[in-house]
Structure formats: structure tokens, C-alpha cells
Amino acid sequence: MAFRLAVLVSGSGSNLQALIDRLHGRVAGVEVALVISNVPGALALERAERADIPTAVFPLHEFPDREARDRAMAAAIETAGVDLVVLAGYMQLLTPAFLRRFPHRVINLHPALLPSFPGERAIADALEYGVKLTGVTVHFVDEGVDSGPVIRQEAIPVHEDDTAASLATRVHALEHRVLPRVVELFAKGKIHPPGPGSRVVRVDDSQPSEIDW
Ligand code: GAR
């Protein structure tokens, strides 16, 4: 059975590429059904087109406000019959109206160990703070900034001689492994959202990955 993804992107799309290379048409019925960007001309859109994946662009300035833009985006996602919405470098907040349409079906990738260093410059913030470990978080999206329940985290050391660029290289390499694995677990029904009043996500990671790394 197919497990269809909408992937939302704003930039280079290296994580989209990881999903295409590792999962799309290969593992657990995962198909990237639709790639959506708020940025016309984003490199991520080219990556989707090269893989024959439909794309759509919803720039904010073409709509009266964020809610109208998100309504149009949600309609496109519903039409595509999507099981999971993945934010992979999507740099805008989603409105509550959007999130209500996909309860526990929107996840975000963040390049730090949340709740430390939310926001858009997480890697530089972690380096400047002087933490000795940083990493990657995948979490459910709620109405706040990088604040939803954590699904998976993996850590790497910060080296004494790291620059923002060298640290970013290692964080991105980790992201390219963590995000496909989380989507694989979703597709296999191994991720259980928190119940009422809880933030705790249960993840059954007992079976080996089928991804050909
Ligand atoms: C990734 O590092 C992702 O974690 C980050 O944007 C980058 C996108 O890279 N997202 C955030 O900072 C969200 N707060 P990519 O376009 O090459 O996949």
C-alpha cells in the first residue's frame, strides 16, 4: 500500500533529495506525491522535477494573508491524497487552520536538539552558545516555533575547531539519515502520537531499517 508524502521546502532541498534517493518508490510504499515551496525557483523544486514529482508554489505575496495561502496549500495536499506532510527546510510558520486539517500528520526537521536553539539559525546559535553536543530533531508540528512533541533526536559532538560551515556539514549529513528513517517508521505504523495531555511520542524502533544506506 502506498504511503504518500507532501514535502514542503524553501531552499536547497538536500533533505528532499535524501527522501527521494532513500525512500521514494523503494521502501514501505513511500512515494513523494507532491513537493510544495513558498519560494519560486527554489533548488528543491528542480530536484523534484528531475525525479518527475509534481510541484506547486505558493508564494505569500500572491495571497491576501498567510491563512488564505495555507488554505490553498492544504487543499492541494488533500487533493493529492497525502498521508504525511514533511517540512524539510520549510521556513515559514503554518497557521492553525492548516494544522487542524492534518492532525498528527505534519512533521518538521530541525538542525538542533530541541528545545535548545529553535528558529532559523539553530546551527550558528548552538556553536556560539558553546554547547559540546548538538544534533537533529524530528518533531510533530504544533502552532509554536519548533515546539511540538519530539519524535526522534540524534546527537553529534561539536569539535573545538568547528566553524558554522563545518558543523553544518555534519548536521546535514545526520539529517539525511534521520529524516528518511523517521518517515520509514511512519509508513510502517511504528510512530504513535501522544495521547491527550501528554507530549510523549512512542516509537517502535525494534526492527532494522530496510533503507539501502
Ligand atoms: C535543514 O538543515 C533543516 O533542518 C533546516 O533547514 C535546512 C534545509 O536544508 N530547517 C530549519 O532550520 C527549520 N527551523 P535543505 O533545504 O538542504 O534540506
Side-chain angles (χ1 to χ4, degrees):
M1 220 177 75
F3 186 83
R4 291 167 67 79
L5 308 181
V7 184
L8 273 53
V9 293
S10 298
S12 86
S14 68
N15 283 287
L16 166 67
Q17 192 69 56
L19 294 174
I20 294 170
D21 294 345
R22 300 289 169 231
L23 293 178
H24 182 60
R26 294 164 192 263
V27 171
V30 175
E31 283 171 22
V32 182
L34 179 62
V35 171
I36 290 181
S37 183
N38 60 315
V39 180
L43 176 58
L45 292 167
E46 283 176 38
R47 296 182 191 264
E49 282 154 18
R50 272 205 298 276
D52 286 327
I53 295 165
T55 61
V57 185
F58 293 88
L60 191 49
H61 68 260
E62 287 182 8
F63 296 87
D65 53 30
R66 284 173 54 225
E67 202 166 303
R69 192 270 306 276
D70 282 9
R71 266 202 307 275
M73 210 157 69
I77 291 170
E78 277 169 1
T79 302
V82 161
D83 299 290
L84 183 68
V85 178
V86 180
L87 312 191
Y90 183 71
M91 293 307 202
Q92 294 198 331
L93 271 184
L94 291 168
T95 51
F98 180 97
L99 293 170
R100 272 197 299 273
R101 283 163 81 164
F102 307 103
H104 288 128
R105 287 196 291 141
V106 185
I107 65 171
N108 180 47
L109 171 69
H110 186 74
L113 295 174
L114 292 170
S116 293
F117 314 118
E120 288 188 8
R121 56 187 309 281
I123 296 173
D125 286 347
L127 189 69
E128 286 163 22
Y129 191 93
V131 290
K132 305 304 182 195
L133 284 175
T134 188
V136 168
T137 302
V138 180
H139 63 95
F140 283 110
V141 176
D142 65 8
E143 292 166 17
V145 178
D146 300 324
S147 57
V150 169
I151 299 169
R152 189 181 184 99
Q153 294 185 302
E154 293 193 26
I156 51 170
V158 179
H159 298 156
E160 290 295 315
D161 59 354
D162 260 329
T163 61
S166 64
L167 184 56
T169 300
R170 297 204 314 288
V171 169
H172 293 319
L174 182 61
E175 289 184 319
H176 299 161
R177 299 181 66 83
V178 171
L179 184 62
R181 177 63 176 150
V182 168
V183 173
E184 179 189 20
L185 289 168
F186 247 106
K188 292 178 168 173
K190 305 288 187 186
I191 292 182
H192 306 283
S198 168
R199 292 185 53 89
V200 179
V201 179
R202 285 192 307 111
V203 180
D204 172 4
D205 195 8
S206 57
Q207 302 297 313
S209 175
E210 281 173 41
I211 299 173
D212 180 8
W213 299 106

